[in-house]
Amino acid sequence: MASLPVQFSRNHLSTPYSSASLRRSAFTAPRSFVTVHCSAARENGENGQGLKKSLLPIKELGCIACAVISACTLTMASPVIAANQRLPPLSTDPNRCEQAFVGNTIGQANGVYDKPLDLRFCDYTNDQTNLKGKTLSAALMSGAKFDGADMTEVVMSKAYAVGASFKGVNFSNAVIDRVNFGKSDLKGAVFRNTVLSGSTFEESNLEDVVFEDTIIGYIDLQKICRNATINEEGRLVLGCR
């Protein structure tokens, strides 16, 4: 009997918000274990030797099947890890939230950056000065709060903003390129004279969003128009059919 222990960990996130300060989130990682057992019979004697030879292909298939079952167990028992595996662990830098005030000094439209920007769960509520004109290429923004912030002329290329809050944010004259706004709250945000290319808004809140002189491709427009939270005025400005 052979035993293969497989260890999993699940992370639980605590995300306190404070408008007075930027806080770092804490993680705890309780562990759970799954053990996969694979067995093979022992053959003894002459009859056993003949049986061993005849069953050799079956044993090989059994080994392969055991490996497949182990892999499937690993995948099914850890769905959270599988869903977030493309994201790196939360940065332990105590000043990671303040890095947004500097941005990526060599950031370009293709998402190139000189240092990673981990802004997840940071609070920039009503910030009117520190984010204007910054380059936030490939920034990780999920769970962050930007409500009421002035983000005019920012360059956000390939940023990951799933689940972030941008209520009332001013994105005028900004370049928003290939940003994932999935499940984010953009109620009342302003995209005036904004380049909005290749970005996705699946299950995001676009209520009362201002799309004035927004530069957007036809395919991207079709995708945005499928969002039912856009009001009639917004749909008219965008030209949704």
Side-chain angles (χ1 to χ4, degrees):
M1 176 73 71
S3 177
L4 174 63
V6 184
Q7 178 178 333
F8 309 99
S9 64
R10 297 179 182 274
N11 292 336
H12 298 277
L13 177 63
S14 173
T15 58
Y17 292 129
S18 171
S19 59
S21 62
L22 300 175
R23 299 183 180 179
R24 187 158 52 93
S25 302
F27 286 85
T28 58
R31 297 179 179 178
S32 59
F33 297 88
V34 174
T35 302
V36 179
H37 297 280
C38 301
S39 62
R42 299 177 64 180
E43 301 84 0
N44 294 315
E46 296 180 357
N47 294 335
Q49 291 295 332
L51 183 61
K52 179 179 179 181
K53 292 180 180 179
S54 64
L55 295 180
L56 183 58
I58 298 177
K59 288 179 62 180
E60 292 177 349
L61 290 175
C63 293
I64 296 173
C66 182
V68 172
I69 292 172
S70 300
C72 291
T73 303
L74 176 63
T75 302
M76 291 184 295
S78 185
V80 176
I81 295 175
N84 296 327
Q85 60 184 354
R86 71 191 186 93
L87 295 179
L90 192 70
S91 173
T92 58
D93 185 352
N95 298 316
R96 65 180 182 84
C97 292
E98 285 84 352
Q99 289 180 1
F101 303 153
V102 178
N104 288 316
T105 57
I106 66 169
Q108 300 175 4
N110 59 359
V112 173
Y113 55 87
D114 57 341
K115 60 180 179 296
L117 285 179
D118 193 346
L119 313 180
R120 287 174 288 183
F121 310 108
C122 295
D123 192 345
Y124 303 99
T125 301
N126 294 323
D127 191 304
Q128 298 297 306
T129 57
N130 294 305
L131 299 173
K132 294 174 60 176
K134 296 300 186 296
T135 298
L136 306 176
S137 296
L140 299 176
M141 299 177 167
S142 53
K145 294 185 68 176
F146 296 86
D147 298 348
D150 187 344
M151 299 184 71
T152 56
E153 300 182 356
V154 300
V155 176
M156 290 171 58
S157 178
K158 292 186 177 181
Y160 187 81
V162 171
S165 184
F166 296 92
K167 290 183 290 187
V169 170
N170 187 356
F171 286 110
S172 295
N173 303 313
V175 176
I176 311 296
D177 176 52
R178 290 165 289 176
V179 176
N180 188 344
F181 285 108
K183 298 182 180 180
S184 61
D185 192 347
L186 292 122
K187 181 178 180 179
V190 177
F191 293 98
R192 181 176 290 112
N193 195 36
T194 303
V195 176
L196 199 60
S197 57
S199 298
T200 56
F201 297 86
E202 293 184 11
E203 299 183 44
S204 58
N205 181 15
L206 299 178
E207 182 183 355
D208 298 328
V209 170
V210 176
F211 295 101
E212 183 179 329
D213 296 326
T214 304
I215 303 172
I216 183 171
Y218 179 71
I219 301 300
D220 296 329
L221 176 62
Q222 288 182 315
K223 294 179 181 179
I224 290 180
C225 288
R226 297 193 191 107
N227 191 306
T229 63
I230 303 177
N231 59 25
E232 289 300 322
E233 182 179 354
R235 299 181 71 84
L236 181 62
V237 172
L238 286 171
C240 297
R241 296 180 179 178

